[in-house]
Amino acid sequence: MRFEITRLDDVDGTAVDSTVVDAASVNRIVQQAAAIGQRILIRPADGPAS
């Protein structure tokens, strides 16, 4: 399964950038975001993994 991960602006929550990753990469990205206090949105994606 693939997921779209969108990084959100710290001030107003608007989307800054997004990427599509495989399920195995989600945990690593979540841990990195948590370590620096970055806000992210994760949702299932239909596109190819990058």
Side-chain angles (χ1 to χ4, degrees):
M1 182 165 201
R2 292 177 293 262
F3 295 89
E4 179 181 9
I5 299 183
T6 304
R7 297 183 192 282
L8 304 175
D9 183 80
D10 291 337
V11 176
D12 61 9
T14 58
V16 175
D17 66 0
S18 67
T19 188
V20 176
V21 298
D22 60 11
S25 299
V26 173
N27 186 46
R28 176 183 50 83
I29 293 170
V30 168
Q31 288 184 14
Q32 289 174 344
I36 62 172
Q38 186 174 50
R39 295 167 52 183
I40 59 174
L41 171 68
I42 303 169
R43 61 183 170 193
D46 295 327
S50 60

